[in-house]
Amino acid sequence: MYRKVVRPVLYRLGRGDAEVAHEQTLAGLRLLGRIPGTPRAGARLSGSTAASSRTVFGIRFPSPVGLAAGMDKNGVALRAWPALGFGFVEVGTVTAHPQPGNEKPRLFRLVEHEAVINRMGFNNLGSEALAARLAAYGDLGYPLGISIGKSKVTPLEDAVEDYVTSLRRLYRYGDYFAVNVSSPNTPGLRALQDAGHLRELLTALHAEALALSAGGLAGKPILVKIAPDLTSSAIDELLGVCTDVGIAGIIATNTTIGRPGVESHPLAAETGGLSGRPLTETAAKTVAHIHAETGGALPIIGVGGILEPTDAVRLVDAGASLVQLYTGLIYRGPGLVRRINRSLP
C-alpha cells in the first residue's frame, strides 16, 4: 500500500520537491501523535516483543530499531514515532545557534537507486528551542538520542564551546548524545574527526557531562558519529581517541561524499551526502571493522543502506547492537520498521 498509494502521493508534493514531502510527513505525524492512545496502539503492532528489548551503554531500548538523526531535527513529532514501530529516536542534528541551513533545493531523490543526496546544512531552530520543546513533552516513554553539531557561523577554533553549549542546554532531556563530526554539509566539520581536534572536543564534552552529573543530573552516554569515507587507519586512530576519553559508543555511518553505484545518474553531480542503498556494503564493512578493532567492547549503532530486514540483520551480525533508519523509511515506508523488528534476533 505504501509503495502503490502513499509514496506516489508524497513524491508529487511540491512538484516533486523532496523537502516538501519531508515537511508534510512531519506535519502529519505531529497530528498523529496528538491522538490519544495512537503511539501505544502502534507500538503493539510494531513487531517487537519483550524479547526484542536490549540494554546498550546502560540504556534499555524496547526494540533495537531507531529513527536516525535528520528526519525529525526539531523534535516536532516525537509522540508519533513509536506508532511506526521505532524503539528509540535520535533528534537533530541541533546546533547552538538557530540556522536556516543551505539554500534550496537541497534534498534529492535518486529513486531508481533507492538513494538520497542531501545538503541540508544542519537546518534547525537551535538547542535552546529544542530544550524548551523537550521540556514541554515531559516523559516520552522511550529512549531519546540528541545529535549535536557545530553552528555554521562558529569558526572551527571555537567549535568546542559551540558543542558544549548545546550539551549543557539539552543534557537533562536526552538519554544519550551523538557528537556529529561527520556531516559533509557544514564547511570544515569533518576536520573535527582528526585525532587532535577530536580529542579536544570529546575531552571537553566528557568533562562537561561529568560536571552536570555531579550537579545532580544522571550520567548520559556520549557517542561519536563517523563518516563512511574514513580509511581503516583513520578509523583506528579515531577509535583510540574515543577509548582514551571514555566515549560510550560509535554510530556508523553518516552519509558519504562518494557516489558509489550512482555515478551516471543526472543528480550525482549535486553536492551533499549520499545515503540509502549505495551505502549498504560500506556501512556493514565499517561496523565489522569497528567491532573487530575494539573486540566488541565499544557498542555500535549501525546505520546506512537499510532497505530490507536482511540489511539490518547483516549490521547486527557484523557487530551492531542497535540499528537506525532514515532513507529506508522514505523508500519502503513504516512497514519496513515492523519487518525488521520481527527479523532481528
Side-chain angles (χ1 to χ4, degrees), residues 135-345:
Y137 272 118
D139 182 22
L140 290 167
Y142 61 80
L144 179 71
I146 302 177
S147 175
I148 56 177
K150 184 187 79 68
S151 305
K152 187 175 182 178
V153 297
T154 300
L156 195 62
E157 58 268 24
D158 297 329
V160 170
E161 184 55 34
D162 201 76
Y163 280 88
V164 168
T165 295
S166 291
L167 182 71
R168 187 183 303 124
R169 289 171 174 169
L170 293 163
Y171 197 74
R172 68 175 62 248
Y173 305 111
D175 292 286
Y176 73 85
F177 288 85
V179 182
N180 189 343
V181 290
S182 51
S183 169
N185 299 317
T186 296
L189 186 78
R190 285 192 169 193
L192 294 174
Q193 292 179 118
D194 297 341
H197 287 307
L198 187 65
R199 187 178 296 276
E200 180 187 7
L201 172 60
L202 296 183
T203 298
L205 289 170
H206 189 63
E208 182 66 21
L210 288 175
L212 291 166
S213 299
L217 297 174
K220 308 293 177 68
I222 295 176
L223 287 70
V224 174
K225 188 168 187 174
I226 69 169
D229 308 307
L230 296 176
T231 64
S232 295
S233 59
I235 292 174
D236 296 345
E237 190 173 27
L238 180 149
L239 292 174
V241 172
C242 291
T243 301
D244 290 346
V245 176
I247 294 305
I250 299 291
I251 302 176
T253 64
N254 212 320
T255 58
T256 178
I257 57 174
R259 295 293 182 262
V262 304
E263 297 89 346
S264 61
H265 194 281
L267 293 172
E270 295 287 352
T271 59
L274 177 72
S275 61
R277 177 56 74 197
L279 264 182
T280 304
E281 191 72 21
T282 301
K285 288 181 177 179
T286 304
V287 168
H289 179 86
I290 295 169
H291 183 73
E293 182 66 20
T294 62
L298 199 61
I300 305 165
I301 299 179
V303 54
I306 301 176
L307 287 105
E308 296 284 355
T310 52
D311 301 325
V313 171
R314 184 181 180 187
L315 287 178
V316 171
D317 288 344
S321 300
L322 306 165
V323 297
Q324 290 178 330
L325 309 180
Y326 183 170
T327 306
L329 191 64
I330 295 171
Y331 285 106
R332 302 298 178 92
L336 176 61
V337 185
R338 294 191 292 273
R339 293 195 298 274
I340 294 173
N341 275 325
R342 292 170 182 145
S343 299
L344 288 179

Side-chain angles (χ1 to χ4, degrees), residues 33-83:
R34 292 175 176 173
I35 301 173
T38 298
R40 189 174 301 169
R44 286 198 295 269
L45 300 173
S46 68
S48 61
T49 65
S52 302
S53 68
R54 57 199 65 191
T55 299
V56 185
F57 35 79
I59 299 171
R60 181 186 174 277
F61 293 85
S63 98
V65 185
L67 180 71
M71 180 66 191
D72 193 358
K73 288 183 173 69
N74 296 304
V76 300
L78 293 182
R79 292 290 185 201
W81 296 114

